[in-house]
Amino acid sequence: MGHLNQRNIIIGVCGGIAAYKSAELVRLLQKQGANVRVVMTDGAQAFITPLTLQALSGNPVHIELLDTEAERGMGHIELARWADAIVIAPATADILAKLANGDADNLLTTLVLATAAPVFVAPAMNQQMWAQAATQENCDTLRRRNFLFIGPDAGEQACGDVGAGRMSEPADVVQTLNAHFPSRALEGLHIVITAGPTREAIDPVRFIGNHSSGKMGFSLARAAIDAGASVTLVAGPVHLDTPEGVTRINVDSARQMLSACENACSQADIFIACAAVADYRPVTVADHKLKKQGTSGLTIELTQNPDIVATIGQAFPNLYTVGFAAETQNVLEHAREKRTRKQLDLIIANDVGNNAVFGQDHNSVTIIGSELELHLPEASKLQVARTCVEALAKEYRRTH
Ligand code: PMT
């Protein structure tokens, strides 16, 4: 059984031609061992009957917000609490607008407001409707509120148009849900993760640093803990809470980070270098604040820092090492070269151009191994981290 076994999942079906795909989605989720309940909007019932979805889910279909029968059985608040996830598929332009607006005018919108569970949306609509600024702005609002988007795909549409707006295939929706819910893929393994920037002091008040927020590394730590690992997080200076269960070691400079990793890795199985380590540091650190000298400039001589991931890989040859490659040009090419040069088992290529990753909440990466090249589309850093953890666990188990 996969990660969806015994998960409680609500499928919200809206009124669109893609509603026929929700029948297949319900069937696939049942096959994965999930407990599925279906909520239909009025529009959805014009495309597919509640009876079909009742038969496939094995549960009564929920339709009315104010239904005395339903409230005696599983009322809307109870249903909202029951869910481990709500998946709205297909999600029409209308439901996206309602959700962005915070409406609670039908059972589905009310459930979304009343639940603490993650809400996934698989949009499906005409390509022009999808491209409209109103729809895109609604989607941006929902992404900011941590709604998780699946698709839409591009291609030929039922209306004859060609473009983006087709609902993702049910198998892809299931795959996204599988990636979201942690498995115990790293059970029994100890993982050391670096995160955040390093600071290289110039004088007592100035340093060389970078824009890393630590969000990606902390998300990896959380995903690894959820997957059953014990995790040591070596963190540069960031303002993030430590994920529950993680042992955190705070450092400032690259050399402190290396020293903390050398200690932690003697007991580790996997090392993930996500930190944005300063490649150079000042040769000398002034012991007093440097004063401005008239109108002349200032030259600071720099020396190279140790390469942490390469040093750790050499010191612990049995350790499974994973690096990141933050690149702005020829991303995959440079990442492959870095993997070879630093002798890493895996590298995660990260296109960091256009300020799209440092400090942001979303990311899109490509995982590269000797026999693997897996592109992960843009998603929240936690979602990306969970998929990375799944992929690396699979690779680790395949080779150990
Ligand atoms: O922290 P966020 O705001 O969430 O942003 C995430 C991130 C962009 C920092 C992260 O996803 C990322 O890409 N981290 C790697 C940043 C980096 O320094 O990449 P690089 O290509 O310069 O380095 C390659 C690899 O060598 C990395 O694994 C790095 O940790 C490691 N390295 C680099 C230099 C050095 N002296 N020692 C190292 O170990």
Side-chain angles (χ1 to χ4, degrees):
M1 281 291 176
H3 321 167
L4 299 177
N5 189 31
Q6 293 306 316
R7 297 278 182 191
N8 297 337
I9 297 183
I10 292 178
I11 301 293
V13 185
C14 304
I17 186 70
Y20 75 93
K21 288 187 179 175
S22 45
E24 175 66 356
L25 178 59
V26 171
R27 196 187 67 78
L28 290 178
L29 289 172
Q30 285 278 39
K31 232 171 120 185
Q32 298 263 326
N35 305 312
V36 183
R37 286 181 174 269
V38 177
V39 174
M40 297 179 81
T41 64
D42 288 347
Q45 296 164 62
F47 290 90
I48 185 168
T49 68
L51 200 58
T52 304
L53 296 174
Q54 178 174 313
L56 287 169
S57 67
N59 284 311
V61 169
H62 305 262
I63 291 168
E64 301 290 342
L65 176 57
L66 304 172
D67 176 346
T68 46
E69 270 305 303
E71 294 295 321
R72 263 204 296 276
M74 194 178 264
H76 65 281
I77 296 296
E78 216 178 333
L79 200 52
R81 288 186 187 140
W82 173 85
D84 292 318
I86 296 181
V87 184
I88 305 180
T92 55
D94 181 56
I95 198 85
L96 295 175
K98 282 188 158 78
L99 295 175
N101 205 35
D103 285 356
D105 59 347
N106 64 38
L107 179 56
L108 186 54
T109 51
T110 307
L111 281 178
V112 169
L113 282 184
T115 195
V119 181
F120 294 81
V121 287
M125 67 198 74
N126 166 268
Q127 53 85 21
Q128 190 60 46
M129 293 170 74
W130 172 249
Q132 281 296 346
T135 305
Q136 288 305 312
E137 280 170 24
N138 287 333
C139 292
D140 289 345
T141 302
L142 293 173
R143 284 197 189 94
R144 274 200 308 279
R145 293 180 193 156
N146 295 326
F147 282 66
L148 300 159
F149 276 71
I150 309 172
D153 291 348
E156 199 172 328
Q157 303 201 297
C159 56
D161 281 7
V162 176
R166 285 163 54 104
M167 182 180 138
S168 292
E169 292 307 316
D172 295 335
V173 176
V174 171
Q175 196 186 3
T176 304
L177 290 172
N178 257 314
H180 178 83
F181 286 107
S183 70
R184 305 297 288 170
L186 295 178
E187 190 91 65
L189 298 178
H190 180 199
I191 304 202
V192 177
I193 300 172
T194 66
T198 60
R199 283 181 182 174
E200 309 300 330
I202 296 169
D203 67 17
V205 297
R206 301 184 181 92
F207 58 83
I208 297 171
N210 61 67
H211 292 294
S212 171
S213 62
K215 286 178 185 174
M216 192 64 231
F218 276 58
S219 296
L220 282 164
R222 161 115 183 258
I225 278 281
D226 288 347
S230 67
V231 176
T232 303
L233 180 61
V234 181
V238 295
H239 303 283
L240 294 175
D241 293 335
T242 311
E244 205 178 318
V246 167
T247 303
R248 175 170 173 176
I249 301 168
N250 288 324
V251 295
D252 255 352
S253 69
R255 285 182 299 170
Q256 287 172 1
M257 186 172 271
L258 174 60
S259 161
C261 290
E262 282 170 334
N263 287 334
C265 283
S266 61
Q267 303 296 324
D269 303 288
I270 298 174
F271 177 58
I272 308 178
C274 183
V277 183
D279 286 323
Y280 296 93
R281 67 175 187 280
V283 171
T284 51
V285 181
D287 55 9
H288 56 273
K289 186 182 168 201
L290 292 176
K291 291 283 174 217
K292 213 190 295 183
Q293 304 278 324
T295 56
S296 62
L298 174 69
T299 302
I300 299 173
E301 193 186 345
L302 301 178
T303 183
Q304 267 197 31
N305 267 328
D307 189 303
I308 297 172
V309 71
T311 309
I312 291 290
Q314 276 163 17
F316 303 99
N318 293 329
L319 192 66
Y320 193 84
T321 49
V322 182
F324 271 70
E327 305 289 345
T328 53
Q329 289 172 311
N330 304 326
V331 176
L332 297 184
E333 203 182 305
H334 285 144
R336 289 188 202 108
E337 183 276 320
K338 256 181 201 170
R339 189 181 89 82
T340 312
R341 179 164 42 88
K342 300 195 182 203
Q343 300 189 336
L344 308 176
D345 292 288
L346 290 181
I347 198 149
I348 300 176
N350 215 172
D351 185 345
V352 294
N354 302 322
N355 296 327
V357 181
F358 278 89
Q360 306 297 321
D361 292 326
H362 291 79
N363 202 359
S364 163
V365 300
T366 303
I367 306 171
I368 301 172
S370 59
E371 296 170 26
L372 174 79
E373 201 146 314
L374 178 64
H375 177 69
L376 311 187
E378 182 172 326
S380 73
K381 282 185 174 167
L382 183 57
Q383 208 174 344
V384 169
R386 289 197 194 289
T387 314
C388 287
V389 159
E390 284 306 314
L392 97 83
K394 215 186 226 171
E395 283 299 292
Y396 177 83
R397 304 280 185 203
R398 191 175 66 76
T399 50
H400 285 72

